[in-house]
Amino acid sequence: MPSALPGGEEAHGPFWSEPGTLLEHVPVAVFGIDEGGLVCDWGPGARDLFGYDSTAVLSKPGALLFADGHQGASDSCARLTERGRTLGYWRGRLTARHRDATSFECGFRAFSMIGAGGRSVVTVLASRSGELDRVKTNLAFLDALFETCPIGLVMLDQDLRYVHLNQALADMDGVPIEAHLGRGMDEFMIMPDGDEYQRMLRAVALGGAPVVGTLVGLRPRGHPDRDQVRSVSFFPLSQAVGSRAGVGGLMVDVTDREQAILEATASRRRLALLDGASTRIGTTLDVNLTAQELVDASMPDFCDGAVVEVVEWMDEAEDFDPARPLFTRRIASGTILPPPATELVSGVEKVRYPSGSVIHDMLRTGRAISAVVNEEFLARTVLIESRARLFAESGLACVLVAPLIARGTVQGIAMFGRSAARPAFTQDDVSLASELASRAAICLDNARLYSRVQDIALTLQRALLPSALATSPYVDVAHRYVPGSRITEVGGDWYDVITLPDGRVVLVVGDVMGHGVSAAAAMGRLRITTKALARHDIEPAELLAELDACAQEAGIELATCLYIVYDPRTGRARIASAGHPPPLMLRPDGAVETIDEVLGVPLGVGGFPFRTTEIELPEDATLALYTDGLIEARGRDLEAGLAALRAELGRSPGPLEAMVDRILTSLLPAPPADDTVLVLARVRRATQ
């Protein structure tokens, strides 16, 4: 607080206060009395309290400020200064006198200080006793309010972090007061309305209108098993200089009174869980991944642990017999509980449920059911004693089992579990689990059917591909067929090696556009036709013309084929191509050539002739025949893929089997995006 010096100039005294603090509500006078009992410092607050300007009081006896002052002397002033000097600090109440001659009770605090030039000065703080009593009463009331009020009270800063709260609110949140301080409100509440609650608080913090008696539904993180409805009121805190801006609030738990809101909150949470599960389950056509998506979507909002199992029926037409054991295979699991719960859900693959188990009860009715984990449940459902003991020690207190039924067939079961820290499953939870299982069952069945079609196509393709290639003393062959990943359907890639009666060798590679069973069947037709036509010893171009006619008759719209006939007596090869990627030749000196003079239109197009070209193959030259899956990939064009294949083919030639594996490892992505065929043939000439 600025003090006045003789002559009327003002300077900062020993005490300085900005407006807007507590002193704004309790005026405090600051003045100084020297060793001679004269006023030597005079602040603005002293002028307001006593009515004297600095010019009227400086260098005057301090006695004129007290009611008993007379002719420059006052016992009250003498006592105050004497106690201040001898005790170092003194406080008490004395009767003061205003300039207008009125007297008033005043609280004084006096302490000794060393002034300018080493003189001893008693610095005095004074304020009206009534004002001090009012502030003390208010502070005592606020302390008592925070200590004993059953309503939740809170003070937040502008970032909505806790500054002050009472025990009632800490009990509502289920977290100690100290754990709140400095942390945001969103760390202690799970809100079903997104950010609407936070937006409301931010608006108040920015000086918006107070919020009074608004009802909100929430779940405290300290009570994860308990939904609450609170009546909340918030108001902006005054932004006095030096004080904190923010939000003050009151909260009342009205859960019992507002059960309807609580039920609506629970319904919104269930809908949010279903909505989230709809986007998370069925993102792939992989059965195991789809099952794991169901497990992950259910935790931790719905349960503490979950497993998905598929029923291993003897055949699809088998009916459920409640008198017989049920065999399942666990394909997905997860838990947020500590061991041994992790071992319980993931430590087994094959499961056998005895007749009379809870699983049998569920399958008998076709409806989800819940059960308490007790001795009766374990005796009925868990056959192996060690697994029953593990179940009992896992912390799971109740389970909910739902059937996975799709297209009228039980595909498997989904089992959810909760620990004793959460409430047991309710009928609403049973309905929610049924809905989750129903949606997941359709996705699982789609994935299962897709996998079955994939397996059929792959089995058909492998059956139509050669199990063992023809051999020749003049051609060494290494070959690989790599199916695409489960994400892509089986393609129509094929290859063959055919020996002709005069010692010549046919190398052929083809690719039917498309995927699935139809592509595999078309591939088989073209391969068999090619093998039959090769026996007639016709020119490669003529053979492709016959294949083209066959493709058109069979409705094969697009297919490629590369046909090479090698004659070891001359060392020459005759080549024809129907739109297939060009073969590569690795010369003995390590040079790699692209044989691209024979490019033609694909099979099934019709109306265009094919032509045959003839080249000479050096002794120990290596031909590379392949399909586009080897050189084509997402983010890489064919030219770049072909260049990469040329580089790999020319790098460190060696045994063919090792070369094939090295090339595939280097060029194919993991997992492969498409089917791939690679055939390496090293040629030699016949001795004349």
Side-chain angles (χ1 to χ4, degrees), residues 58-73:
L58 287 173
S59 300
K60 300 293 193 302
L64 64 86
L65 306 176
F66 295 89
D68 61 353
H70 181 68
Q71 295 182 350

Side-chain angles (χ1 to χ4, degrees), residues 309 325-326 328 330 351-355 357 359-360 381 413 415:
E309 299 170 5
L326 185 72
T328 65
R330 187 165 296 175
V351 184
R352 177 174 180 261
Y353 294 104
S355 59
S357 70
I359 310 301
H360 284 70
T381 308
I413 61 172
M415 186 181 300

Side-chain angles (χ1 to χ4, degrees), residues 231-254:
S231 174
V232 300
S233 298
F234 292 103
F235 50 89
L237 297 176
S238 62
Q239 300 187 29
V241 177
S243 66
R244 291 185 176 182
V247 178
L250 300 88
M251 299 187 186
V252 182
D253 187 346
V254 293

Side-chain angles (χ1 to χ4, degrees), residues 500-522:
L500 301 179
D502 56 0
R504 288 177 299 162
V505 179
V506 174
L507 303 171
V508 59
V509 172
D511 185 3
V512 176
M513 300 301 105
H515 295 86
V517 174
S518 60

Side-chain angles (χ1 to χ4, degrees), residues 331-510:
I331 59 174
S333 63
T335 181
I336 59 173
L337 298 177
T342 49
E343 183 182 351
L344 174 69
V345 300
S346 61
V348 65
E349 181 181 1
K350 302 285 187 177
V351 184
R352 177 174 180 261
Y353 294 104
S355 59
S357 70
V358 171
I359 310 301
H360 284 70
D361 293 344
M362 179 266 296
L363 291 179
R364 187 181 297 109
T365 62
R367 298 176 180 175
I369 60 173
S370 61
V372 176
V373 177
N374 52 24
E375 291 185 3
E376 179 190 359
F377 168 82
L378 295 175
R380 291 178 55 197
T381 308
V382 186
L383 282 175
I384 303 174
E385 183 179 348
S386 60
R387 299 291 300 174
R389 185 167 56 253
L390 199 63
F391 211 134
E393 297 171 353
S394 67
L396 293 174
C398 59
V399 296
L400 196 164
V401 189
L404 298 172
I405 301 176
R407 300 175 178 90
T409 302
V410 177
Q411 308 291 333
I413 61 172
M415 186 181 300
F416 310 95
R418 286 182 180 175
S419 67
R422 302 175 68 150
F425 290 110
T426 64
Q427 190 56 45
D428 288 336
D429 293 325
V430 173
S431 300
L432 175 59
S434 299
E435 183 66 23
L436 271 177
S438 177
R439 298 188 184 191
I442 296 296
C443 296
L444 281 170
D445 196 49
N446 289 339
R448 181 184 64 84
L449 293 176
Y450 176 79
S451 296
R452 177 175 298 178
V453 172
Q454 280 283 78
D455 291 340
I456 292 172
L458 187 58
T459 301
L460 175 61
Q461 186 182 48
R462 286 175 172 166
L464 295 174
L465 287 173
S467 57
L469 297 180
T471 59
S472 168
Y474 310 111
V475 180
D476 296 330
V477 176
H479 56 93
R480 297 288 188 275
Y481 165 72
V482 181
S485 69
R486 301 293 292 186
I487 299 175
T488 58
E489 294 183 279
V490 172
D493 295 17
W494 59 282
Y495 62 98
D496 210 342
V497 177
I498 307 165
T499 55
L500 301 179
D502 56 0
R504 288 177 299 162
V505 179
V506 174
L507 303 171
V508 59
V509 172

Side-chain angles (χ1 to χ4, degrees), residues 229-286:
V229 178
R230 295 182 186 178
S231 174
V232 300
S233 298
F234 292 103
F235 50 89
L237 297 176
S238 62
Q239 300 187 29
V241 177
S243 66
R244 291 185 176 182
V247 178
L250 300 88
M251 299 187 186
V252 182
D253 187 346
V254 293
T255 303
D256 293 339
R257 190 189 77 193
E258 304 294 341
Q259 189 63 32
I261 292 181
L262 192 62
E263 292 174 356
T265 299
S267 297
R268 284 196 297 270
R269 184 172 292 109
R270 287 193 293 270
L271 289 174
L273 179 61
L274 281 175
D275 183 60
S278 297
T279 60
R280 296 175 62 182
I281 300 174
T283 60
T284 72
L285 287 172
D286 184 285

